[in-house]
Amino acid sequence: MAKQTGILPFTGKLGNLIGYRRNGSYFVRSMPEEVRQTTATRQSSRNFGIASRTGKLIRQAITPQLSIGRDGTLVNRLNKALIQGRLQQLEGFRFNRHTGVDKFFSRLPVLSSGGALMIPAQTWPPSTAGDKLEISVIAVRINPVTRQITGSHTATLLADLDQPFNGAALEATTPGKGTLLVTLQARIFNGTIPTLNRRFMAADIIAVVLPAIKQKSRKGNRLAGVKQVSPYHLHTGNNVQVTTNSTPDQVHLYSGSSPTFRPVPGHSGADAPPPIAILF
């Protein structure tokens, strides 16, 4: 391995040389004359290829909708997470490695069995970075086999940090077929200006829902029962501004008694309801 010192560094193959970048610097190495692969190395290579393609699809689906800036370690961290486990194990993955969404809530948002992100009523933790908290839920569907993004939905609200919060519900699903990935983003605003400090912005994958599996019954072929996602109605609330890229009846604010919650994966919860419904 040698460091590139020329004016125009390169990556990829150039004759019998391979150029690559690591930690902001460019290096070069020569290609081996002969490559001998065992069964294990061939399997490892296939796993890496699958993880790289799936990671690219996830980044294409989610990162264009994020507002937290670029993390230079994202590609490697996401590929590593996919190599080490299945898609379901992405729950809790941080797009910003420096901060998680749990920093911004005294009571964590949870997913309901109906497919909504429920934000409990609470008093916000004090912040020295601003006076408002932007909360966004980004729901996407992907098909890793066909490498397609089959659905996308975002909804956002802006809450005053110096006022009591009465709670809200944001839609956390999207029509279409494929695996559903739900990402929660939070960042601090000072008036109308968003923070640029990476310690005050976060985006985590909080749920991964695989498509329902067709099952055969003894009486013939039919689909297993699938729960329907209920519509959500818009109501007025205090100190909250809501925006969404879907129709107005897909977001509502709630007041009164709290709904049944499912803790965000990776966090403890004493009153956990039944598991989230499997959705197409």
Side-chain angles (χ1 to χ4, degrees):
M1 177 181 70
K3 188 173 183 179
Q4 297 185 44
T5 58
I7 299 176
L8 298 174
F10 71 96
T11 59
K13 292 177 60 177
L14 180 63
N16 65 340
L17 299 177
I18 299 176
Y20 58 99
R21 183 179 178 181
R22 178 182 295 174
N23 297 328
S25 299
Y26 291 87
F27 299 89
V28 65
R29 60 181 175 84
S30 60
M31 294 180 61
E33 295 183 0
E34 183 180 0
V35 178
R36 296 181 179 179
Q37 286 191 322
T38 64
T39 301
T41 57
R42 284 193 295 270
Q43 183 61 49
S44 177
S45 178
R46 284 193 293 269
N47 292 343
F48 179 79
I50 294 171
S52 296
R53 291 190 293 270
T54 304
K56 181 179 180 181
L57 181 61
I58 292 172
R59 296 194 308 274
Q60 290 174 335
I62 299 176
T63 56
Q65 304 181 65
L66 298 180
S67 305
I68 63 169
R70 178 176 173 79
D71 184 338
T73 67
L74 174 60
V75 174
N76 289 337
R77 290 191 298 109
L78 185 55
N79 287 349
K80 182 178 179 180
L82 289 167
I83 290 173
Q84 292 177 341
R86 297 176 296 174
L87 276 173
Q88 298 98 312
Q89 294 177 297
L90 287 180
E91 293 183 356
F93 180 84
R94 294 180 175 182
F95 285 92
N96 175 14
R97 72 184 190 277
H98 301 284
T99 310
V101 295
D102 56 339
K103 174 179 179 178
F104 300 92
F105 302 90
S106 59
R107 297 180 64 192
L108 289 168
V110 293
L111 285 174
S112 73
S113 59
L117 178 74
M118 312 301 294
I119 308 171
Q122 59 191 282
T123 300
W124 302 113
S127 175
T128 59
D131 56 3
K132 289 182 174 59
L133 176 66
E134 181 196 66
I135 305 169
S136 300
V137 59
I138 302 164
V140 300
R141 287 193 186 276
I142 62 170
N143 187 330
V145 177
T146 62
R147 305 179 197 176
Q148 291 179 316
I149 302 168
T150 58
S152 178
H153 170 83
T154 62
T156 299
L157 65 80
L158 193 64
D160 291 334
L161 292 176
D162 56 354
Q163 297 291 333
F165 182 69
N166 295 328
L170 298 176
E171 185 179 358
T173 187
T174 182
K177 296 182 178 180
T179 298
L180 175 67
L181 302 174
V182 181
T183 300
L184 175 62
Q185 176 181 274
R187 58 177 181 159
I188 300 294
F189 272 64
N190 188 2
T192 60
I193 302 174
T195 182
L196 298 178
N197 190 326
R198 62 190 180 187
R199 295 185 297 113
F200 298 102
M201 58 179 71
D204 300 357
I205 295 177
I206 60 171
V208 179
V209 184
L210 299 181
I213 300 175
K214 294 181 179 180
Q215 298 180 352
K216 293 183 179 180
S217 69
R218 295 180 180 180
K219 296 182 180 180
N221 296 336
R222 62 184 178 184
L223 288 177
V226 178
K227 293 184 179 179
Q228 298 293 324
V229 178
S230 302
Y232 308 107
H233 301 284
L234 181 64
H235 302 283
T236 59
N238 297 326
N239 311 313
V240 178
Q241 303 171 22
V242 180
T243 59
T244 173
N245 67 356
S246 295
T247 56
D249 67 344
Q250 291 177 313
V251 177
H252 79 278
L253 306 183
Y254 70 85
S255 59
S257 60
S258 299
T260 301
F261 296 128
R262 171 178 179 266
V264 172
H267 304 284
S268 62
D271 300 324
I276 185 170
I278 298 300
L279 308 176
F280 278 112

